[in-house]
Amino acid sequence: MDSMYEILMSLPLLNGVSRARILEIVGKTKFHFLKYLDGQQIAREGEPCTHIRFVLSGGVRSTITNGDRRFKVAQTLNAPSVISPEFLFGRSPYSPADVVAIGPTGILQIAKSDYLTMLTSDEIFMFNYLNLLSSSSQRSVEGILALTNGSLEERIAYWIAALTQRDGVDIVMQCRQRDLYSLFGVQRSSLVAALDHLKEEGYIDYTPSEIMVKSRSKLLGLLSHNEDED
């Protein structure tokens, strides 16, 4: 149990829980430990979020796509991580992304009803989840401010932040440049100049159809308040 305890303690939303409490929760709650092979589907875009899923080992590739399929954002979530936790409750409890395994991957799956019982039975579980939701909400406020009066670099940073998780890596945005400058309401020359500046500063690399993020946390430093300074 020692190794499993260490794994569970390292998971987001379970940090700070005592060993005795973990043992008690494992004894009372249905923890489903699942194994996936490389490329196997873990979640589908638009499906109901009936479970919360933690990445115990390996990693997953999560991809969000807009309605006309011309805009995609993909990120890798390596263990330990949690998949789209903000979408478990609320008015739209549906998976925002297609999620597939990268190599052999271990997933801990807990039913929404069981996880709700965990939240209401222990203030540490509740605090961790509320802190995550609060960080997401505050990020949205910063993003709106960036969209209204921030630089184009800040607006690009917000879009990346809004569509990825704080522990996301290997982030790639797939979109034609003509769609991007239409989206941001700027001339092509302004978009290219902003991308060139971000590239020169080491935030991103890019091609005519992709933006590859080198460091999400560094990129978010462009915003007035960095969400990862929690």
Side-chain angles (χ1 to χ4, degrees), residues 72 135-136 138 147 164:
K72 294 182 179 180
S135 296
S136 178
Q138 292 159 11
L147 289 175
T164 58

Side-chain angles (χ1 to χ4, degrees), residues 54-185:
F54 296 93
V55 183
L56 295 181
S57 62
V60 302
R61 191 69 174 165
S62 174
T63 304
I64 294 176
T65 309
N66 76 329
D68 61 14
R69 323 307 284 181
R70 291 190 299 175
F71 186 88
K72 294 182 179 180
V73 179
Q75 63 181 325
T76 293
L77 302 173
N78 292 314
S81 189
V82 57
I83 301 172
S84 304
E86 300 97 329
F87 292 86
L88 189 61
F89 303 105
R91 295 183 60 185
S92 184
Y94 303 98
S95 172
D98 285 316
V99 182
V100 299
I102 303 176
T105 299
I107 298 291
L108 166 60
Q109 182 170 283
I110 305 173
K112 180 189 294 189
S113 58
D114 290 333
Y115 185 62
L116 182 59
T117 299
M118 288 174 58
L119 290 178
T120 56
S121 67
D122 192 296
E123 63 180 11
I124 295 179
F125 291 135
M126 181 67 75
F127 175 80
N128 287 344
Y129 191 67
L130 290 177
N131 192 47
L132 181 147
L133 295 180
S134 296
S135 296
S136 178
S137 177
Q138 292 159 11
R139 176 184 64 197
S140 297
V141 171
E142 293 169 4
I144 291 172
L145 294 176
L147 289 175
T148 56
N149 60 9
S151 68
L152 184 52
E153 288 88 345
E154 289 174 327
R155 294 158 68 187
I156 293 172
Y158 168 65
W159 271 88
I160 293 171
L163 296 172
T164 58
Q165 294 183 204
R166 63 183 301 172
D167 55 346
V169 297
D170 190 20
I171 297 169
V172 178
M173 303 176 65
Q174 293 181 323
C175 184
R176 296 181 302 178
Q177 286 188 7
R178 61 182 297 179
D179 293 325
L180 275 180
Y181 59 73
S182 296
L183 174 70
F184 290 116

Side-chain angles (χ1 to χ4, degrees), residues 188-230:
R188 180 181 181 278
S189 58
S190 297
L191 175 67
V192 173
L195 293 177
D196 282 341
H197 179 243
L198 291 173
K199 181 176 180 179
E200 290 170 1
E201 294 296 319
Y203 296 116
I204 67 166
D205 199 355
Y206 78 95
T207 70
S209 60
E210 291 186 339
I211 298 175
M212 293 76 74
V213 179
K214 292 186 175 181
S215 171
R216 182 182 185 275
S217 60
K218 183 179 179 181
L219 185 64
L220 293 187
L222 293 174
L223 301 177
S224 58
H225 298 287
N226 190 333
E227 65 157 323
D228 289 343
E229 291 178 350
D230 297 337

